[in-house]
Amino acid sequence: MRQTGGAGADGSWWGRRAWSVLVLAVAFMSVTAAGAAAVVDAYGGDPNGLVPFRDSVATVYSIGEDVWEVWVCQVPGWNITLDVDAVTADMNARFTAYFGWLSDSRYRPVFQVGGTVQSADILPTDPAAVEYWSGNWATDCEAKVAASSTSGPDGVMIVTEGGFGAGYGNPGWSCPGTVGGCASYYPEKTVYPGNERQVVVGAGSVTVVSPFQEAQWTTVAHELGHAVSWPHSYGALNINPIGNVLEYDNPVDNMSGWDLVGDPIGTTGYNRYAAGWIDPADVAFYSGGTHTFPLASIGGQGYGMVVIPMGADGYFYELDYRAPTGWDTALTKNGVETYLVDSRRSACAGLDWWQPDYPCFGLWTRVAQSPAEVGTTGTSHVHGVGEVFQLGLFTLSVLQDDDAQVYLRLTDGNYLGRFVDDDGNFHEPNIEVIAGAGLTKGCDPPANDRYCPADLVSRASMAAFLIRAVGGDVSAQPYSGYFGDVPAGQWYTPYVERLFELGITTGYEDGTYRPDQPVSRAEMAAFIVRAFGHSAELGATRGVFADVDPASWYAPSAELIYDLGITTGCSADPVAYCPDDLVLRDQMASFLARALGLGT
């Protein structure tokens, strides 16, 4: 249920929601009063225990094909004529693709022509009057369509030839607590008109109605979201013109945004999970300590949601990632979103008609931006790559690795780490590992509070890293002058000479070591294999990397450290190694930590 662009109507403002809630209250209470559906564990249908009645509410209609019959309702007072065939074709063209993207091909709404009805309802002709509209909108349209529909669709889409970009959506009978919804008890409640599942939108949602410059298709997507039991997301800090909490202050959720017009954007990870579009196995739970989770945008690899439980059923923080892809290219800010989800009974305490021992669910679930902020365009709850932020007692960092994969790191307490210049760096845990193991002292003696993660690894530094990892103490290392360009008295000289004695390097043919020269990824592979005793494991190359010639001198080493899990390459599709790229100090920390079996 929504108002968009400041010139539409919505039940949460003007009473329409109260009407819809009454209908649903009668439906739900009829089920429980009749005794057909026994009271069950509200979270028993969700393997993760997050969404009440997940198996019998949203997923009844949100998995597979969802057939919608489209009707046009002609009303007096508006000079608008809609062609039901054209409207139906537009919906198929737009929303099959949109929901296919949003659901990762798990949900397919199909729109078929219903027909045209006429209603005596008079809708306001003055846009300014909409602000004071009582909400008694098109109920006669609904009655006419219910009497005319005979094909038994999953729901009906009613477009009135009056109204701006306004609408409301009704998920119909859900029969919470019954596996498969109402089918086992009330088969007549699974299709329209028995299920009372309908979406009603004004003409401005499908065509241009002055003063708007484009159709507000986002409203249609919004109300279809309600029809699969999605709630609004809102911070509760903003008040609408008549003094109620404004439920449209999240500009990155199509189930909220005040100023959303034109084509729709995506929605929260919670909604996608509730609909069955994120698998239970693709939800990560944080339980303390320091952990890093790969996050997936729609269609990507990684976790679809990260959950931080807050000590009660249905009460948790939910974090998900929205990439600038698909319909989300229109977002005002992309990144990791943070929401506080509350299905506890106290979150919908005003619904006195509701079963007292059931939690909130579906449209009544409380989903709030965290942090919330005053205004309708704020994105403080969206965090881009590189951002570090607090969530209660937790510190979170949004990271990105060399393959552009996004990660979320969580830690309890204000974790700052050993060095001041690597906070939020993807490789920070492994920098901490090698610092704790004594492989690095930092880059700024005598303070040694910096690691210089973006600096290149020189051959001098590589010698120090490797010898500290495998060669032990060099304090008593005598000077032998193995290399013409490695003089006595330099900080790196004992490390380089020990590297030579262990057979890890022979230097260059001209008798030099070139300590100041940066190390390439090709050279790094060879250094790692020799230093950690893997030379005997070298074998024939298999062509693992698209950019590595199997005949090249470094190919066996590159493939071996890939097999050992020391590197994943520099690109996943195609798998590439980037042998000529120079190694950075933060990357080297991860190579070393993994080689030691201590890294992530």
Side-chain angles (χ1 to χ4, degrees), residues 7-9 75-78 121-138 161-164 209:
V75 297
W78 288 79
D121 284 345
I122 300 176
L123 303 182
T125 58
D126 179 3
V130 176
E131 185 174 341
Y132 308 104
W133 192 8
S134 68
N136 184 22
W137 191 38
E161 289 186 344
F164 298 97
V209 173

Side-chain angles (χ1 to χ4, degrees), residues 35 66 75 111 133 147 160 169 184 220 222 226 251 276 295 323 326 352 401 427 459 474 490-492 497 517 558 593:
D66 190 20
V75 297
F111 301 90
W133 192 8
T160 71
S184 301
V220 179
H222 177 107
H226 282 319
L295 277 179
D352 296 333
D401 69 7
H427 301 278
R459 286 172 59 85
V474 295
Q490 298 299 311
W491 70 268
Y492 55 81
E497 295 211 325
Q517 182 171 295

Side-chain angles (χ1 to χ4, degrees), residues 87 90-91 94-95 205-207 215-221 262-264:
V87 171
D90 271 347
M91 288 188 177
R94 293 173 183 274
F95 295 113
S205 298
V206 300
T207 190
Q216 299 185 54
W217 291 104
T218 183
T219 299
V220 179
D263 289 326

Side-chain angles (χ1 to χ4, degrees), residues 295 301 321 323 385 399-407 570-572:
L295 277 179
Q301 298 296 313
Y321 173 54
V385 171
L399 314 174
Q400 190 173 70
D401 69 7
D402 304 322
D403 194 29
Q405 172 72 53
V406 170
Y407 293 78
C570 65
S571 172

Side-chain angles (χ1 to χ4, degrees), residues 1-2 10-12 14-28 134-137 139 142 167-173 195-200 223 226-227 232 351 353 363-364:
M1 308 165 198
R2 74 177 313 164
D10 183 280
S12 62
W14 300 284
R16 180 64 205 188
R17 184 179 189 182
W19 182 87
S20 293
V21 167
L22 177 61
V23 172
L24 293 172
V26 172
F28 291 140
S134 68
N136 184 22
W137 191 38
T139 56
E142 297 170 5
Y168 54 88
N170 185 341
W173 282 61
N195 63 9
E196 301 174 18
R197 185 171 180 246
Q198 58 201 5
V199 165
V200 181
E223 305 309 341
H226 282 319
H232 298 140
L351 302 180
W353 51 267
L363 278 69
W364 296 278

Side-chain angles (χ1 to χ4, degrees), residues 96-291:
T96 300
Y98 168 73
F99 280 104
W101 164 75
L102 190 59
S103 69
D104 203 9
S105 300
R106 302 185 187 197
Y107 173 62
R108 184 173 181 267
V110 176
F111 301 90
Q112 62 188 28
V113 175
T116 300
V117 295
Q118 293 184 337
S119 171
D121 284 345
I122 300 176
L123 303 182
T125 58
D126 179 3
V130 176
E131 185 174 341
Y132 308 104
W133 192 8
S134 68
N136 184 22
W137 191 38
T139 56
D140 186 54
C141 286
E142 297 170 5
K144 295 289 179 58
V145 169
S148 302
S149 177
T150 59
S151 67
D154 296 311
V156 292
M157 172 74 63
I158 304 172
V159 185
T160 71
E161 289 186 344
F164 298 97
Y168 54 88
N170 185 341
W173 282 61
S174 294
C175 301
T178 65
V179 177
C182 297
S184 301
Y185 299 97
Y186 300 102
E188 72 277 9
K189 300 297 184 183
T190 62
V191 295
Y192 188 84
N195 63 9
E196 301 174 18
R197 185 171 180 246
Q198 58 201 5
V199 165
V200 181
V201 295
S205 298
V206 300
T207 190
V208 175
V209 173
S210 180
F212 299 107
Q213 302 300 310
E214 57 184 325
Q216 299 185 54
W217 291 104
T218 183
T219 299
V220 179
H222 177 107
E223 305 309 341
L224 286 169
H226 282 319
V228 291
S229 297
W230 288 351
H232 298 140
S233 60
Y234 60 98
L237 296 185
N238 297 288
I239 304 301
N240 67 31
I242 62 173
N244 296 329
V245 171
L246 178 66
E247 297 189 12
Y248 306 100
D249 60 6
N250 183 8
V252 297
D253 180 11
N254 202 74
M255 299 306 298
S256 180
W258 179 258
D259 292 322
L260 297 178
V261 296
D263 289 326
I265 58 174
T267 190
T268 65
Y270 176 82
N271 284 344
R272 297 184 63 244
Y273 177 75
W277 303 346
I278 295 176
D279 288 331
D282 290 331
V283 176
F285 284 78
Y286 172 74
S287 58
T290 298
H291 294 281

